Amino acid sequence: MIRALQKEPEKVQIYSTTPEIGWGNRVERLAINKILKDAGFDIIGENPAGFWIDIARRVHTSSSQNVDEAIEYTKNSAQLRDSIKTKPFISSLERFIKNALKNNPRAHFFLTPQNMMGEAATRVSINGRKFTVIMVLPDAMGKLSPYRKPTEAQRNINYLVWNRNAYEIMKSEHGLEYVQLIYPVDPQKGFQELSTHKLKELGFTEIFEQENVCVIKLSGGGGDAHFISAIIESLWNKSKVRSIVFPGQQVTQNKIIDKVEGNSRKIVKSLDEEAYYNVTAHMQPDSQMVLLQPSEQVKYMFVRSMHGQRLRVAWLPPKGDQEKISLINYILIASKQGIISTICLPQKHHDYLHGELKHAGFIQGIDYQLIEPENIKKEHFTLAPSWEIDESRYSEPRLSVEQAIRNILAGRG
């Protein structure tokens, strides 16, 4: 008698998605999808599109093009996210989630790095069926705040957190039940590894031939071209530092070209996110420099430090409450290692940021320094903190992303 062949049990599906607005969440999704697929998980999903996503992308880009607007957004971003202006966007996300729930009956788990989408997914159900929501945070604490109590939606999310201070606040002070401390997701996992030959072919020869090089990385919404051009000029005039710019948006790139190359000096620029992560992975530790948004790039500096590559860092002004919180968490780690952090921003915004950093417990001149774009030079870039030194202070271990996901799937997250 021939025994009937038994079917292997179907894998649990995880629906992965994020609105394609900036670059940080998109890259986080690409990277974590790759890690989980390689570990044998069944990852499906697509990203929402449509009118309200386009509007959100335009607002994101518009608020990035001017430093003054970025600072104003930082002051008011928490209130704006809770305002009536976001309701159509949230409604569009809820419709997308409902369709995902209806069209994927085997997908019980919903993975996203985007806070509004994750929170919306906790509220959507069909005939009593809901997703179990998993949120991986590329920023230190995402859109949660150490100063506000979590909402009911936020309490129902399974969080994967790389920043230990944020993890402790979420667990101990906020009393969130579903939080796991993970090793930071390496964003380069979402892209192909490019060879030295390929990077030289793409025009990034300075990384391999010059010590005085600064990579400037703006957000997916672009940046203030006048502000960035002043930085590029100051670095060259005061320290003969060459700049490689990843401007995030074509409009920003064009304006930088007009301002800087109009002075008869060429700069290397690229809109290729894959190239950025490959370029930085090849940079010389202890000497070459990066100027970054205090966004998911805070996490990325610790990823590079985990790989034994500590770059010299200075920060651009935060755009949004979540970037301010990420900057504060960076300064917290750096200050414990005796490293002063540099933030470059116009003089007229110094009082505001001084006040925010003083409120966080930091001392000007010891924990941080603020530098105008016209005055920045090589000496203002300070070594990124050591991952090993920071981790050695704590006994609680971290989990791999794969193990944290398995815990959630098994009901132990």
Side-chain angles (χ1 to χ4, degrees):
M1 187 176 183
I2 300 174
R3 183 181 298 171
L5 292 175
Q6 290 185 335
K7 285 186 178 179
E8 288 188 15
E10 289 184 329
K11 290 181 181 177
V12 175
Q13 285 187 340
I14 300 174
Y15 193 93
S16 173
T17 182
T18 190
E20 293 188 341
I21 298 170
W23 266 112
N25 289 332
R26 281 191 268 180
V27 171
E28 190 80 357
R29 176 179 178 259
L30 288 172
I32 198 167
N33 282 3
K34 176 68 165 56
I35 292 167
L36 295 179
K37 284 178 180 177
D38 288 350
F41 291 93
D42 188 9
I43 309 298
I44 62 168
E46 60 184 358
N47 292 339
F51 177 77
W52 290 109
I53 301 297
D54 290 341
I55 292 295
R57 191 181 297 120
R58 287 176 199 166
V59 170
H60 176 69
T61 300
S62 174
S63 65
S64 301
Q65 298 297 310
N66 183 281
V67 173
D68 297 344
E69 289 185 23
I71 294 294
E72 282 306 307
Y73 177 72
T74 303
K75 294 175 182 177
N76 303 310
S77 59
Q79 292 83 357
L80 285 171
R81 279 195 297 272
D82 294 334
S83 73
I84 196 168
K85 292 180 180 179
T86 64
K87 300 304 180 188
F89 175 69
I90 293 170
S91 295
S92 73
L93 294 181
E94 289 175 346
R95 287 192 296 272
F96 174 86
I97 294 161
K98 197 161 195 172
N99 284 330
L101 196 59
K102 180 175 68 177
N103 297 331
N104 299 278
R106 283 183 46 225
H108 301 290
F109 297 88
F110 185 93
L111 174 65
T112 184
Q114 213 274 348
N115 287 72
M116 281 185 175
M117 174 157 257
E119 291 164 24
T122 68
R123 298 188 291 266
V124 174
S125 64
I126 297 177
N127 298 324
R129 177 175 165 248
K130 302 177 75 169
F131 283 119
T132 295
V133 181
I134 305 168
M135 187 178 293
V136 56
L137 300 181
D139 292 307
M141 205 168 170
K143 300 297 193 295
L144 284 85
S145 169
Y147 312 115
R148 295 189 303 274
K149 289 183 179 180
T151 64
E152 186 62 28
Q154 290 167 342
R155 290 188 177 280
N156 289 322
I157 291 172
N158 293 268
Y159 293 99
L160 308 183
V161 184
W162 71 267
N163 182 271
R164 194 179 290 271
N165 181 57
Y167 167 79
E168 290 172 353
I169 290 171
M170 292 165 73
K171 286 285 284 186
S172 302
E173 296 182 25
H174 286 350
L176 292 171
E177 187 176 352
Y178 312 114
V179 188
Q180 296 183 83
L181 181 67
I182 61 167
Y183 287 98
V185 174
D186 185 347
Q188 197 181 7
K189 296 285 187 184
F191 301 103
Q192 288 186 339
E193 289 190 22
L194 303 180
S195 66
T196 298
H197 175 74
K198 181 63 177 175
L199 288 171
K200 286 182 177 179
E201 227 178 41
L202 291 172
F204 300 108
T205 54
E206 282 92 341
I207 288 298
F208 306 98
E209 297 175 359
Q210 303 285 337
E211 182 178 302
N212 276 4
V213 173
C214 180
V215 169
I216 301 174
K217 170 71 167 71
L218 306 185
S219 79
D224 187 323
H226 180 79
F227 174 65
I228 299 301
S229 298
I231 291 170
I232 293 169
E233 294 289 357
S234 183
L235 287 174
W236 176 254
N237 292 333
K238 292 180 170 57
S239 305
K240 293 297 178 280
V241 170
R242 301 168 185 267
S243 294
I244 296 175
V245 185
F246 291 86
Q249 287 283 326
Q250 186 71 54
V251 62
T252 305
Q253 177 167 291
N254 292 344
K255 289 178 180 177
I256 290 173
I257 291 170
D258 288 343
K259 290 179 182 300
V260 177
E261 297 193 350
N263 294 336
S264 302
R265 189 165 55 77
K266 293 287 184 184
I267 57 170
V268 179
K269 59 271 178 189
S270 173
L271 295 168
D272 187 344
E273 202 78 357
E274 181 174 70
Y276 165 71
Y277 285 106
N278 276 276
V279 164
T280 44
H282 283 82
M283 291 177 73
Q284 298 171 24
D286 307 322
S287 60
Q288 291 183 331
M289 294 154 276
V290 285
L291 180 65
L292 307 168
Q293 298 282 153
S295 55
E296 73 283 348
Q297 296 305 313
V298 170
K299 179 198 71 171
Y300 186 49
M301 286 301 96
F302 287 103
V303 169
R304 300 276 22 115
S305 184
M306 281 174 62
H307 293 315
Q309 182 197 34
R310 296 171 65 190
L311 299 173
R312 294 196 169 272
V313 190
W315 298 100
L316 294 164
K319 192 191 85 167
D321 196 48
Q322 78 282 3
E323 288 194 7
K324 183 182 72 178
I325 292 167
S326 287
L327 177 63
I328 285 169
N329 277 280
Y330 178 88
I331 297 172
L332 180 65
I333 296 170
S335 64
K336 288 178 180 176
Q337 296 182 28
I339 299 169
I340 190 169
S341 300
T342 299
I343 306 101
C344 182
L345 79 167
Q347 176 69 47
K348 62 182 173 180
H349 297 302
H350 282 205
D351 285 348
Y352 162 70
L353 199 53
H354 278 313
E356 295 297 300
L357 297 179
K358 182 179 179 181
H359 179 68
F362 300 126
I363 300 171
Q364 180 186 0
I366 295 176
D367 300 317
Y368 73 93
Q369 56 185 340
L370 305 185
I371 303 296
E372 300 85 359
E374 300 82 7
N375 294 327
I376 193 166
K377 54 188 177 181
K378 183 177 181 178
E379 288 73 22
H380 291 130
F381 290 75
T382 57
L383 206 59
S386 162
W387 174 265
E388 286 187 18
I389 291 173
D390 188 56
E391 284 296 286
S392 68
R393 302 174 189 273
Y394 307 98
S395 58
E396 183 170 0
R398 292 175 181 267
L399 299 173
S400 67
V401 167
E402 306 96 294
Q403 185 56 57
I405 294 289
R406 287 191 182 98
N407 290 345
I408 294 169
L409 269 56
R412 299 193 305 270

